[in-house]
């Protein structure tokens, strides 16, 4: 016994010491676990236990597909004795049709947020569909970002130009958003004054804005019965800079600012002939012509080039945070010397790996999810929603989309709609539940910086609102399945838990629920109470 | 100096001592509920109760069409000045009611702030700080809720009626999040329970079991917040009648003026009377880049009518001495009148006003130059303004809360409490 153990150790040691095998082929998931464990050691932190199968199952479904598993899927996974079932599940979900749909929801929030103030943003299905397509084909991240920033095509058929369209006549707002979302650089302070302790000056801000000052939103008529827009770019036009806002004076004229990359390099661009005259406006109903030289494309290419010091790092950090809660740099969009990373070496290695794998997000996400770190339990003594050292899993409130679609599945309302032939192709807006309410109460459960602040009104909706429409006793519903079942109550409570919380109940839970439900008096309403309870409890509200 | 306000945090130490002394023997259990309900504590709490109402003029009200007129100058605009019940102080003719209550107001004519655009200005004039990437500053409403509100009350401590603050409770946590009423002061949808109290209580027993089981080994903050908010939603059911003010409105409609903003002001007064620590009432439409004068002509009269009625009402009910009424928007408007008869955004020199609890009346503080372009004396920044408000409410503006491990004072580090306007 001892001898075979040490033999194994010896073989492992040799394998590790053989150059070119172990070191260069350390999988990213192991790199993650190594760095995270080192930080625990250095900070004297005891990590949580590994997540149970049920914890893992629900977490990975919500993270990749944005919905809980069905009770059949849950049962199948929990009963599967094979040791590699987690890796297999991750691989299967990454190829699931809902994966691209959910990732499109996530990234649409990055670029627009929940009630975007910008131009035309209430109709952006084209953009979302286009995003989903990028994820479906697993187009490399740098390639689809370049498409967004070059804004080719129109908002309805191609979708990507919608990103700029929202910043119609607001190149400063676009500057702020682009640098923050794609580079993790915060220039907003530099918009009005040189930052007292950050590296950015107002000229950095306006130097970037100068790339965008010539953009115009052009109405190109209807496509697929929707108003479509394209992004036109003029040959002339500059950003004027008047100095700090506080010393702004009425009538003061600004100075022309030349385009300058955040790397410090100025843009070299061909000069136009002295007598160059430009048409005043782009023609409505037609695609605008290309400019002689596109500043916007130059910016897009600079941002997405492989050796941009911010681009890959910002992406690696953002995707990491999407699944792990905290960014290694946190807040995720503030890569600044004042805001150092918690695990600098890990961030460097993640960044490098992402670039080496040509910005293949599916591979990158798969590695994160296969790490032991991702697969830790959420139980533990730390009170932080998102523990800084990743010593246990984070708590993330379900988005409005995740919540509604998971409720529908949990209550069996999907089957009710099917049985009554009321299914529509509307994903989130259907009879019984008003999507606007979902957005109002669950659309932005955070404070804008990702901290959960679910308040009173959310619970008023949960307690007194439309959740009850979903918990009907109509044909197909969970309510009907449970009340018609002749199985012992213990088994029926099993089903309740599997369908709503994707796990089996503990003995104590079974006892309590059987007690509550097996009373003859008012049984139907008691069952409704039980379903409502599990659908509105903390365990359901969060991904953990 | 004003008396410290009656935050339970504040009072607890002394009362706690009393409480523990009364409990003979070791292993005293701190009976918070009992302490709070003791007569001595309750009367002390009542005596020092400070309240605050914020009238929020969204978009940025013009100082030239209200409290800092420049009659006869090119920046002045078409309105006339009228005299007030304070000798020597004149205000815009759009405010006949308020002109007769100037003895209750302190006007600050020397605001100098930093944020020139709406979202940033709304943020900074609600928090006293500019937006920062790494600190979530709380709004004034959350701060007053925390330091002057009662944790035991079933009523929310921070109520907003059709108003626009965009910072929320920030680092103070969700128990101080605003409770938003509709534009007519109506309760939000789904406020009323659909179950009888018996059925609600039965349902609650099951949910309570599920939540406490989960809480045993899931200690994370959001889970706790989720539980607490659920409890508050249940408790709100006990006090829904405080928001049923239709009959009151019938009675007071003429006094407040039959307008949305008048109605909101009346509701604010009633909620403060019922014990809500902070109420914010909003009126929108002041962003008058075009037709500034027409805009103010339609917005100011109903607002000032309701405002005046509210001051009278609070005074009649003996509440004005303990209720600070703040009047402001996020920015002022430019001296220059643009070619659309509008005024644009301006933060170099503009006006706000305070009345009631803790501040003097009949006072004009600070001065702008003859065209209203610049402050010429007693500049008040947003840091100064908020520090002064907190002081008037008996809250020490240097009190710290934590953002992670960083201590964050209520008002910016560099501030000046404008003592001249405090009682």
């Amino acid at each position: 016994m001892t001898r075979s153990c040490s033999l194994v150790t010896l073989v492992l040691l040799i394998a590790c010491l053989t150059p070119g095998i172990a070191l260069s082929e350390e999988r990213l998931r192991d790199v993650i676990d190594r760095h995270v464990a080192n930080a625990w050691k250095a900070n004297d932190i005891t990590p949580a236990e590994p997540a149970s199968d049920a914890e893992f199952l629900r977490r990975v479904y919500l993270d990749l597909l944005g919905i809980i598993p069905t009770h059949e899927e849950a049962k199948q996974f929990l009963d599967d004795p094979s040791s590699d079932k987690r890796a297999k599940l991750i691989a299967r979900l990454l190829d699931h049709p809902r994966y691209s749909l959910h990732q499109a929801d996530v990234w649409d929030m990055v670029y627009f947020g929940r009630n975007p103030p910008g131009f035309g943003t209430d109709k952006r299905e084209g953009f979302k569909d286009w995003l989903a397509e990028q994820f479906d084909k697993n187009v490399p991240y740098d390639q689809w970002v370049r498409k967004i920033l070059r804004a080719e095509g129109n908002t309805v058929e191609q979708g990507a130009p919608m990103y700029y369209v929202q910043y119609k006549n607001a190149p400063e707002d676009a500057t702020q958003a682009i640098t923050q979302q794609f580079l993790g650089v915060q220039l907003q302070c530099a918009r009005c004054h040189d930052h007292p302790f950050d590296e950015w000056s107002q000229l950095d801000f306006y130097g970037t804005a100068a790339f965008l000052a010539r953009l115009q939103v052009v109405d190109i008529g209807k496509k697929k019965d929707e108003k479509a827009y394209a992004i036109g770019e003029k040959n002339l036009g500059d950003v004027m800079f008047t100095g700090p806002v506080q010393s702004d004076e009425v009538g003061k004229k600004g100075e022309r600012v030349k385009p300058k990359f955040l790397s410090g390099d100025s843009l070299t661009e061909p000069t136009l002939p002295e007598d160059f005259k430009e048409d005043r406006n782009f023609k409505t109903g037609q695609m605008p012509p290309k400019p002689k030289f596109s500043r916007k494309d130059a910016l897009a290419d600079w941002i997405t080039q492989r050796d941009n010091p911010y681009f890959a790092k910002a992406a690696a950090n953002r995707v990491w945070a999407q699944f792990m809660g905290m960014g290694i740099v946190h807040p995720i969009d503030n890569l600044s010397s004042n805001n150092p990373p918690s695990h600098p070496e890990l961030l460097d290695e993640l960044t490098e790996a992402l670039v080496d794998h040509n910005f293949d997000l599916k591979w990158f996400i798969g590695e994160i999810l296969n790490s032991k770190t991702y697969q830790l339990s959420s139980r533990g003594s730390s009170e932080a929603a998102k523990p800084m050292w990743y010593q246990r899993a984070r708590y993330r409130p379900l988005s409005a989309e995740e919540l509604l679609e998971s409720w529908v599945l949990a209550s069996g309302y999907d089957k009710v709609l099917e049985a009554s032939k009321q299914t529509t192709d509307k994903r989130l807006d259907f009879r019984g539940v008003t999507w606007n309410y979902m957005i109002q109460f669950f659309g932005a459960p955070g404070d804008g910086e990702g901290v959960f602040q679910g308040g009173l009104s959310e619970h008023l909706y949960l307690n007194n609102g439309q959740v009850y429409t979903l918990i009907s006793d109509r044909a197909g519903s969970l309510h009907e399945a449970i009340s018609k079942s002749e199985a012992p109550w213990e088994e029926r409570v099993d089903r309740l838990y599997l369908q709503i919380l994707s796990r089996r109940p503990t003995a104590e839970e079974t006892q309590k629920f059987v007690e509550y439900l097996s009373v003859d008096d008012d049984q139907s309403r008691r069952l409704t109470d039980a379903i409502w309870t599990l659908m509105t409890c903390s365990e359901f509200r969060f991904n953990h | 100096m004003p008396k410290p306000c009656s935050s339970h945090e504040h009072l607890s130490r002394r009362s706690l001592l009393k409480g523990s002394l009364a409990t003979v023997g070791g292993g005293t259990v701190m009976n918070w509920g009992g302490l709070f309900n003791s007569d001595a504590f309750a009367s002390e709490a009542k005596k020092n109760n400070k309240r605050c109402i914020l009238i929020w003029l969204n978009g940025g009200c013009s100082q030239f069409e209200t409290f800092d007129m420049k009659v006869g100058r090119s920046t002045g605009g078409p309105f006339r000045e009228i005299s007030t019940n304070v000798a020597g102080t004149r205000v815009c003719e759009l405010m006949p009611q308020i002109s007769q209550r100037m003895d209750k107001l302190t006007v600050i004519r020397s605001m100098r702030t930093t944020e020139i655009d709406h979202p940033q200005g709304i943020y900074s004039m609600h928090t006293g700080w500019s937006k920062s990437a790494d600190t979530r500053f709380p709004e004034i409403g959350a701060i007053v809720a925390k330091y002057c509100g009662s944790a035991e009350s079933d009523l929310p401590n921070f109520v907003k009626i059709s108003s626009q603050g965009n910072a929320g409770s920030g680092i103070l946590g969700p128990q101080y999040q605003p409770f938003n009423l509709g534009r007519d002061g109506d309760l939000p949808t789904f406020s009323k329970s659909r179950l009888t109290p018996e059925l609600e209580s039965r349902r609650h027993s099951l949910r309570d079991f599920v939540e406490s089981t989960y809480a045993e080994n899931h200690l994370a903050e959001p889970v706790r917040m989720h539980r607490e908010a659920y409890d508050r939603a249940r408790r709100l059911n006990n006090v829904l009648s405080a928001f049923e003010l239709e009959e009151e409105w019938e009675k007071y409609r003429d006094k407040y003026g039959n307008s949305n903003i008048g109605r909101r002001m009346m509701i604010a007064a009633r909620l403060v009377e019922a014990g809500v620590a902070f109420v914010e009432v909003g009126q929108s439409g002041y962003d008058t880049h075009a037709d500034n004068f027409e805009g103010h002509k339609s917005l100011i009269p109903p607002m000032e009518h309701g405002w005046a009625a509210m001051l009278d009402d609070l005074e009649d009910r003996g509440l004005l001495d303990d209720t600070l009424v703040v009047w402001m928007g996020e920015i002022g408007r430019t001296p220059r009148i643009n070619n659309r008869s509008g005024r644009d955004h301006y933060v170099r020199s503009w006006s706000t006003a305070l009345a009631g609890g803790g501040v003097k009346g009949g006072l004009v503080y600070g001065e702008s130059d003859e065209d209203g372009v610049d402050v010429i004396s007693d500049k008040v920044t947003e840091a100064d303004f908020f520090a002064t408000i907190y002081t008037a409410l008996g809250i020490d503006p240097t009190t710290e809360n934590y953002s992670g491990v960083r201590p964050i004072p209520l008002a910016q580090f560099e501030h000046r409490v404008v003592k001249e306007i405090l009682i």
Side-chain angles (χ1 to χ4, degrees), chain A residues 60-66 93-94 99 102-103 323 365 369:
Chain A
V60 80
Y61 259 83
L62 283 165
D63 273 348
L64 290 178
L65 309 190
L93 298 186
L94 281 168
Y99 163 77
H102 176 57
Q103 300 309 314
F323 296 95
I365 292 169
L369 268 51

Side-chain angles (χ1 to χ4, degrees), chain A residues 447 449 453, chain B residues 54 122-132 134-147 158 160 165-178 278 280 328 386 390 395 397 399-403 406-412:
Chain A
D447 60 346
E449 268 110 55
Q453 287 209 324
Chain B
L54 168 59
I122 290 171
Y123 187 92
S124 77
M125 290 308 285
H126 272 89
T127 64
W129 298 74
S130 287
K131 221 169 179 344
S132 132
D134 48 15
T135 307
R136 300 174 297 113
F137 297 106
E139 284 180 28
I140 174 175
I143 289 175
V144 176
K146 174 165 178 174
Y147 293 99
F158 176 9
K160 272 189 189 178
N166 51 5
S169 57
I171 56 172
L172 300 188
Q175 64 269 46
Y176 304 112
Q177 279 286 75
F278 186 96
E280 179 169 335
M328 65 171 163
F386 279 87
Y390 296 143
I395 308 169
T399 306
E400 286 168 346
N401 283 281
Y402 283 84
S403 170
R406 267 174 62 209
I408 307 289
L410 297 181
Q412 289 189 41

Side-chain angles (χ1 to χ4, degrees), chain A residues 58 134 188 240 255 334 505 507:
Chain A
R58 187 173 186 274
Q134 310 309 303
Q188 76 266 34
M240 308 299 266
E255 280 169 41
N334 189 10

Side-chain angles (χ1 to χ4, degrees), chain B residues 61-255:
Chain B
C61 180
S62 170
Q63 65 278 25
F64 298 101
E65 276 67 59
T66 48
F67 289 114
D68 196 10
M69 297 201 74
K70 301 294 171 190
V71 174
R73 306 294 302 180
S74 64
T75 57
F79 297 118
R80 288 176 308 167
E81 258 185 334
I82 54 175
S83 60
T84 70
N85 67 349
V86 174
T89 302
R90 296 167 76 78
V91 298
C92 180
E93 63 176 325
L94 296 177
M95 304 198 295
Q97 303 284 333
I98 280 298
S99 77
Q100 295 312 304
R101 284 148 188 94
M102 283 301 285
D103 58 329
K104 298 191 176 72
L105 259 60
T106 284
V107 170
I108 300 175
R109 280 182 179 158
S110 51
M111 294 300 297
R112 162 78 65 83
T113 55
T114 42
E115 299 296 345
I116 192 134
D117 216 343
H118 302 292
Q120 294 82 0
I122 290 171
Y123 187 92
S124 77
M125 290 308 285
H126 272 89
T127 64
W129 298 74
S130 287
K131 221 169 179 344
S132 132
D134 48 15
T135 307
R136 300 174 297 113
F137 297 106
E139 284 180 28
I140 174 175
I143 289 175
V144 176
K146 174 165 178 174
Y147 293 99
C148 299
S150 152
E152 278 73 12
S153 169
D154 287 346
L155 276 167
N157 281 310
F158 176 9
V159 175
K160 272 189 189 178
I161 313 171
S162 198
S163 195
Q164 316 281 335
N166 51 5
S169 57
I171 56 172
L172 300 188
Q175 64 269 46
Y176 304 112
Q177 279 286 75
F179 179 59
N180 291 297
L181 300 183
R183 57 193 301 269
D184 295 328
D186 40 329
L187 279 165
T189 332
F190 308 122
S191 294
K192 293 205 172 107
S193 176
R194 53 198 293 142
L195 301 175
T196 63
E198 295 72 34
L199 288 177
E200 204 279 335
S201 158
R202 185 183 80 190
R203 182 181 80 168
H204 171 69
S205 72
L206 189 65
R207 197 179 189 283
D208 192 39
F209 160 79
V210 168
E211 287 297 83
S212 23
T213 317
Y214 189 71
E216 277 167 26
N217 40 35
H218 294 83
L219 304 173
E221 197 186 24
V223 178
R224 181 172 54 78
M225 291 175 177
H226 192 248
R227 272 199 315 276
E228 286 173 359
Y230 166 75
D231 285 336
R232 283 196 297 135
R234 284 191 76 221
R235 281 160 59 193
L236 182 71
N237 232 4
N238 306 330
V239 291
L240 287 178
S241 57
F243 298 91
E244 284 162 6
L245 294 166
E246 203 46 56
E247 271 180 41
E248 281 290 286
W249 182 237
E250 294 292 322
K251 260 193 270 174
Y252 285 86
R253 190 189 345 237
D254 292 341
K255 184 177 167 79

